[in-house]
Amino acid sequence: KATVSVLNCGWYARIMRAALSAVGALVLASWAACVTQRAAVEDPALRAAFSTRASAAQAPLVVMSFNVRLDMEERVADHHFTKRVHRLPEVIGRWNPAIVGMQEPFGGQVQHLLSEFPEGHAYRALGYNRPGVDPGDLTHPARHNDLQTGILYRTDLLTLLAQDYLWLSKNPRQEGSRDWGTLGVRTVNVARFRVKASGHEVAVFNTHLDVWSEAARRGQAAVLARAVREFSAQHPGAAVFVTGDFNSAPGQTAHRTLVQDGDGLLSDAWEGEGAPLHDVALSFHGWLGVTLTNTYAARAAAAVGLTAHALGFALPLAVPHDLRSLARAALALVQSGPAYPLTESVPSGLWTLGRFHVDWVLHNRHARPLAAAVGDARDATFSSDHFPIVVLFDLAG
């Protein structure tokens, strides 16, 4: 891969490798002591604040982004999907979002999740409508990967008007296409609705950017931004939401491509005036829970790790679970090198050790965020290795 010339300087590489080596020490410090923690507000208080603000809205709409984690072998039995699937509808049901942008689930997982909702629930799932296969058959073998950017929506609140599906590649209409060294095929699921109560038109773009390659995240974000611009030109009055796990933090290139470089088309709901209701720094907790990941030591480790991720250093695909895996991860870090400028790679929350969310809800000017929260922040009996992001909007502006 190409390396930015200024990064070839020996002093720069030495400084970055020293900083990255500190990640292990910071994580160990977090394990050893949960100190200097900012208090997180519990769900009941958050939901009460949501209700209060929703009652003052003319056209309220709740949107959730939730990486529910794929069904795979887990080191801890309670983290396996079959052990936690019943918790997912409990979390969703507590917030009652009209739209849920999910990341990672296989078709069978979504079918299982829907079966755990109370009888008569109003949620319906949308994925890739594979030709020749019934869209309602989520367990068909051919549909195994068709819901990995699946959307849940409430049929009692919304009428589906249209749906589209794109591959985040140089050929977005080519099924299964991928570019820029992405670890896996990445997609965006697009759905357009009409709100039954108010008549407002809304659209959601739900996605999941690559976890491994910074080049892929940059390319995928650019494709997504272009798709949003093209849709907005065709539907100028629609409220647009972008949900997803972006595997990067606010202030980094993917975020800037969608928010700062998008001619003001999209804004980050968490950055809306008065919207955040509490201070939970990380939406991805990796089964470590909110108490540990909300410490300043963990925030500092996240800041360094996310910066290294955006620079192009080799990072582990999973949270190190013991000293051996931590040592292997540290060795891979110091042996790899930066490929992008530091000025493009530092998260905006670095200087305050504030927000390092990799899960976002973005919106356009036709929706005003009234409240934003990290939902279900807890230390045990997790629903996923990510906490959901929940945002209350007013479509009346």
Side-chain angles (χ1 to χ4, degrees), residues 47-133:
R47 295 198 302 277
F50 259 60
S51 297
T52 299
R53 297 190 184 189
S55 63
Q58 296 181 48
L61 189 80
V62 178
V63 176
M64 174 183 284
S65 184
F66 200 175
N67 184 323
V68 301
R69 187 166 172 84
L70 74 168
D71 185 358
M72 61 177 291
E73 183 179 352
E74 303 285 1
R75 295 188 183 93
V76 177
D78 192 56
H79 297 165
H80 190 270
F81 183 75
T82 57
K83 300 295 185 182
R84 57 186 173 83
V85 60
H86 67 282
R87 300 171 193 150
L88 291 167
E90 291 173 0
V91 173
I92 294 170
R94 284 199 293 271
W95 295 94
N96 274 321
I99 298 169
V100 183
M102 298 183 295
Q103 297 83 43
E104 293 196 8
F106 299 125
Q109 285 182 267
V110 178
Q111 182 67 49
H112 194 170
L113 189 161
L114 290 172
S115 72
E116 294 288 340
F117 277 100
E119 186 176 354
H121 71 87
Y123 282 107
R124 178 189 169 194
L126 299 173
Y128 173 47
N129 292 327
R130 185 169 297 278
V133 180

Side-chain angles (χ1 to χ4, degrees), residues 372-390:
V374 175
D376 199 43
R378 59 175 60 219
D379 290 313
T381 59
F382 301 111
S383 54
S384 176
D385 60 342
H386 287 242
F387 297 130
I389 303 295
V390 194

